Amino acid sequence: MAFDFQHAVSAPFRMQPGLRRLAPGAAQLSPSRPGSRHLHEKLAALTMAPHEVLLQQPGFDPAPALAALEEHACGEHPDALQAGVQGRLHARWLGWSIDAQGLAPQDDGGGAAEIGRCLQALPPAWRRAALLALAFAEDFAIVDGRSATIPWLAVALPSHWSPADKVGRHFAEVHAPVADNQLLITAGEHLMRLVTREERWERFVWNITRHPPLNNHPARLDPAPWPAALDADGIAALACFRTERQTFIPVPGALQAVFTIHVESEPLADAIAAPAEAALLHEALATMSPAVLAYRSLADVQQRLLAWLAARRA
């Protein structure tokens, strides 16, 4: 899914919801091909630390939301995912299926053995959701409009946050660590009700980071700061432009939605190719508050990044 640079990067920079209605027919999911970066990193996370990825609030029933997600995914990408008889779910591009009993037999066409090993190692109740998560580049969470909470997550590629810290928490608690969060907190419960109704919404977020992997779980990141000795060009060569496209798939009649998160990360020099993009990013970065710069780990490199962007826009 393309990151909408002109819509997402604006100045003065503000931490705000930034929701917009999805255009009719706009796709919300991106199937994973064998060998893709997203599949590789998701599979590694699910194999190494599934307890960090798959989380559910006790007593919550995710079945209606997962059924809505499966129906949407099969309708949007029937070439990649198909629903069969007796509850069979077939991830065609991955070559694996799962049935109502929670088994994950290899399909006749053959699937990567590591996917089968990963699924079989999971608790049976999680295998179907895990296959669905591997079949698409997006991470998934369920948002509940009545309680304004996130009671279920399958998030393998988080952006500097731990899914375990978010499951079952109220919107205000989830966003409490965010710098300059007043706009988000004030609108929180209204937003949760809005995105769990019939209309479909999307939003975009971005950051500049020194961590190239898609999986930026805090337990997996090098805690070292940006190198103090590097000049503007050196910092830019180290930096990555990390983006997320987030959408909401409503669950009919439940006042819930499946929250989808599509993460991308590429070298900053590749991401900012046009002078107009460099100028826009320069203005956004220049207008970040000290609190936001600290929250995004950019305080130490803001001036060097601004110098590089100024040269780039020229």
Side-chain angles (χ1 to χ4, degrees), residues 3-7 9-10 206 208 241 266 268-285 308-310 312-314:
F3 177 75
D4 190 334
F5 195 98
Q6 297 298 320
H7 172 75
V9 182
S10 60
W206 61 271
I208 300 173
F241 191 60
E266 61 179 322
L268 182 64
D270 294 341
I272 310 303
E277 292 178 345
L280 192 55
L281 188 59
H282 182 281
E283 294 307 308
L285 182 60
W308 182 84
L309 288 166
R312 194 82 165 185
R313 72 181 180 184

Side-chain angles (χ1 to χ4, degrees), residues 1 22 26-29 72 76 138 200 245 247-249 260:
M1 296 298 171
L22 270 171
Q28 293 180 256
L29 301 174
H72 180 90
E76 190 173 283
E138 286 76 14
R200 297 174 187 268
R245 182 199 185 223
T247 79
F248 299 85
I249 300 172
T260 77

Side-chain angles (χ1 to χ4, degrees), residues 233-275:
D233 288 337
I235 286 295
L238 184 66
C240 293
F241 191 60
R242 185 179 178 90
T243 65
E244 293 183 13
R245 182 199 185 223
Q246 304 171 357
T247 79
F248 299 85
I249 300 172
V251 182
L255 205 61
Q256 295 176 354
V258 178
F259 178 46
T260 77
I261 313 168
H262 186 117
V263 175
E264 295 286 359
S265 179
E266 61 179 322
L268 182 64
D270 294 341
I272 310 303

Side-chain angles (χ1 to χ4, degrees), residues 26-45:
Q28 293 180 256
L29 301 174
S30 311
S32 292
R33 290 280 190 182
S36 70
R37 182 185 183 188
H38 288 78
L39 177 59
H40 174 76
E41 291 204 35
K42 279 191 166 192
L43 187 59

